[in-house]
Each structure stands twice: as C-alpha cells, then as structure tokens.
Amino acid sequence: MTMEDKLRTPLPRDFYARDPRIVSRELLGKVLVRREGKKLLAGRIVEVEAYLGLNDPAAHSAAGRTLRNAVLFGPPGHSYVYFIYGNHYCFNVSCLPDGEAGGVLFRALEPLLGIKEMARARGIFLDGRPSNTRDLRKLTSGPGRLAEAFGITRMRDNAKDLTGADSDLFITADSYPSPRVRNTVRIGITKAAKRPLRFLIAGNEFISRV
DNA sequence: TTATAGATTGCCT
DNA sequence: GGCAATCTATAAT
C-alpha cells in the first residue's frame, strides 16, 4: 500500500464534534491532505491551537455570531479561513455540534508529499533534493506559511466541508505512532494570552516557534 | 466616515 | 531584535 492509498479517507464529522482541546490533541500526528488535480499535497500536523468560542476572548467567535465567523458556530468539520495583517490566510476547522462555537487553528505541518508544489506556491527555490530541514521548515512552519503552501484562501476554501469523501481538502488518520503532546500558551495573541491552549508534538523540528 | 488592532511574515540592523 | 507591508472587521467619531 502506497502512502497515497493511506491518505484517502477523511476523518468523520464525529471526530470534530467535541471540545476543541480534545480535537487539538488528537489532530497531532494526523495528516492534512490537499488534492490538486492529479497532484497530492500532504503534511503531518505538528502544532495547533484551540479557540473556545463565546468564553474565549481571543477567539473570533467571542462576541457572538457574525457573517465572518458563522462557520465556527455551524456544524463541525468545516474550514474557517480568515485573512490577517493584510497578508496571510489562517486555516481552522470548526468543532463542537452545530450551534456551539469552537475551532482549531493549524499552526505548523511537517511536509510529506508535494514538496516541489509547496515550494512553488510559497515562491521559494529549493536547491537540490532531498531538501534539508532548514529549507523544508520555510514551507509549512507557521499558520500563514502552511496556508500559502496548500493554496488555502478564503474564496476557495472557507466553509468547506472537510469530511466529504470527494473533498479536495481534508484530514486523515495515518499509521503513525501516537505522538508525545506538549501543551503551552498560544502564540501571537494579546487577549487571554496565558491560557494553555497550544498543542504540539514534543521535539518535532517543524513547529513554528520554540 | 475615519481610526485602529490584528490567531503573521520577511527583511533589515 | 525592530519594523514595514497591506487588507478587513470592528470600534469610535
């Protein structure tokens, strides 16, 4: 069985219909997949952050439902993509049952498949192959970077159902040993900055920051 | 209608 | 380590 065969089946909606902290922990070690025509992009999820909804001042859903954040209040397993600092997209998945707000932000991936395509999408020239870790880190180590590498935009991907069998964007399980999870404060926020809602694979080289 | 902060990144010193 | 880039949602006038 090839790696492509293993990366075929999206996680089901039930997986996402839980507390974002639980979903965050369990997403670590799984694989984000993008189908680009015949090409397949894949990256192991190594760093995420939970955003809790109405009771979390740092969450976009904190002040209640709006047109922008409606996905976070909707059914689980849908992508929430927003544009930040006039430059970057950030990619989240909605959690909790329909009507309850919550989500997980994808902060860093370890590139697995489609490395040349990711480099092209990022405007980076990789010299030689295989590329070293320092080069690969530039592709998907950071929320804006991974979105760009996977071609994730608001127009193309916001509100997309990530659990559909024919979706071009989804998360899948992989036969990868359960990672040792480390829990820290979230990065880059000013409100509720001390809550320990960032989750990462301990020791992984592809996390966005130490 | 105008002002400002923002779940970031890359370039410069 | 500092800071500009550059759009959008929301707050303030």
Side-chain angles (χ1 to χ4, degrees):
Chain A
M1 189 188 243
T2 66
M3 190 183 307
E4 281 82 355
D5 289 326
K6 289 199 298 189
L7 301 182
R8 223 186 270 286
T9 311
L11 291 172
R13 195 170 316 287
D14 285 356
F15 178 88
Y16 301 103
R18 298 177 293 166
D19 186 295
R21 288 165 285 204
I22 304 294
V23 177
S24 289
R25 286 185 171 277
E26 296 194 13
L27 278 175
L28 293 176
K30 295 191 167 50
V31 179
L32 177 67
V33 179
R34 167 75 104 182
R35 292 197 187 98
E36 291 272 26
K38 289 184 72 175
K39 289 288 182 183
L40 209 58
L41 308 183
R44 187 174 314 288
I45 300 163
V46 302
E47 178 186 344
V48 297
E49 283 176 358
Y51 286 85
L52 302 185
L54 295 171
N55 298 318
D56 179 2
H60 287 181
S61 46
R65 184 179 192 135
T66 64
L67 191 60
R68 177 203 196 193
N69 66 25
V71 175
L72 294 172
F73 288 82
H78 286 67
S79 62
Y80 170 57
V81 181
Y82 63 89
F83 195 53
I84 190 70
Y85 294 118
N87 286 295
H88 310 286
Y89 291 100
C90 289
F91 170 59
N92 304 249
V93 59
S94 63
C95 298
L96 294 170
D98 193 4
E100 279 183 79
V104 174
L105 168 71
F106 289 72
R107 287 198 54 92
L109 308 173
E110 175 176 344
L112 297 175
L113 291 176
I115 287 166
K116 273 193 300 187
E117 289 72 21
M118 293 185 202
R120 187 161 55 232
R122 292 269 298 120
I124 290 172
F125 177 74
L126 296 180
D127 50 7
R129 293 192 60 169
S131 301
N132 59 39
T133 301
R134 202 185 60 197
D135 285 341
L136 290 175
R137 278 183 45 79
K138 295 177 188 159
L139 300 179
T140 52
S141 291
R145 289 172 168 180
L146 74 88
E148 187 169 49
F150 275 63
I152 294 172
T153 65
R154 182 170 170 155
M155 169 111 46
R156 181 178 178 189
D157 298 301
N158 190 48
K160 184 174 280 180
D161 183 0
L162 304 181
T163 67
D166 57 346
S167 178
D168 68 339
L169 187 64
F170 59 92
I171 296 102
T172 188
D174 184 16
S175 53
Y176 177 77
S178 314
R180 195 154 51 86
V181 175
R182 205 151 76 80
N183 179 215
T184 78
V185 295
R186 293 178 292 191
I187 292 194
I189 57 170
T190 53
K191 302 172 203 159
K194 303 185 104 161
R195 300 186 72 165
L197 296 175
R198 174 177 179 237
F199 300 87
L200 54 96
I201 295 181
N204 189 279
E205 298 179 277
F206 293 90
I207 59 171
S208 65
R209 298 198 218 168
V210 287

